Amino acid sequence: MPEIRKSADLRNKYGEISDFCHRYREPVFITKNGQGDLAVMSIEVYEELASRYKLYEAIHTGLDQIKNGEVIFEQEIMKKIKKYAGKQTTPR
């Protein structure tokens, strides 16, 4: 069940809200004039969500590249790596 608090609780009960967010790793929803206004969460949970979003975005980009034929297969990559490595001079 989501934790819902009034906006005044941010000022008057900040410690309780902070403790809840850290302990349960869940956001607290803040209302203003009876309507939903904010979601408050710990920095750790926010960073996890942001990382997950970036991962999903990268996966989506990769799927779009596959769909559009913008993929270089492993064999081609290995040929390019070997060709590049062969051009490198060895240190003496």
Side-chain angles (χ1 to χ4, degrees), residues 1 4 11 17 23-24 42 65 67 69-70:
M1 180 123 205
I4 301 170
R11 178 181 58 250
I17 293 172
R23 181 177 296 123
Y24 297 105
S42 71
Q65 289 173 335
K67 182 179 174 184
E70 302 170 4

Side-chain angles (χ1 to χ4, degrees), residues 7-69:
S7 58
D9 286 351
L10 279 175
R11 178 181 58 250
N12 300 328
K13 298 180 181 179
Y14 176 85
E16 288 178 22
I17 293 172
S18 176
D19 289 344
F20 178 90
C21 290
H22 289 284
R23 181 177 296 123
Y24 297 105
R25 301 180 54 76
E26 293 285 333
V28 173
F29 299 102
I30 306 296
T31 62
K32 182 177 178 182
N33 299 324
Q35 300 290 320
D37 187 46
L38 298 172
V40 178
M41 65 183 74
S42 71
I43 289 175
E44 294 85 8
V45 170
Y46 171 79
E47 288 174 346
E48 287 176 14
L49 287 173
S51 294
R52 192 174 301 154
Y53 175 78
K54 287 178 184 178
L55 174 62
Y56 292 156
E57 187 175 42
I59 290 170
H60 183 72
T61 298
L63 292 173
D64 283 346
Q65 289 173 335
I66 291 169
K67 182 179 174 184
N68 296 326

Side-chain angles (χ1 to χ4, degrees), residues 70-84:
E70 302 170 4
V71 177
I72 299 174
F73 292 98
E74 176 186 359
Q75 295 86 353
E76 293 177 53
I77 294 289
M78 292 308 295
K79 285 179 188 176
K80 289 182 179 192
I81 290 171
K82 288 177 183 177
K83 184 178 177 181
Y84 178 79

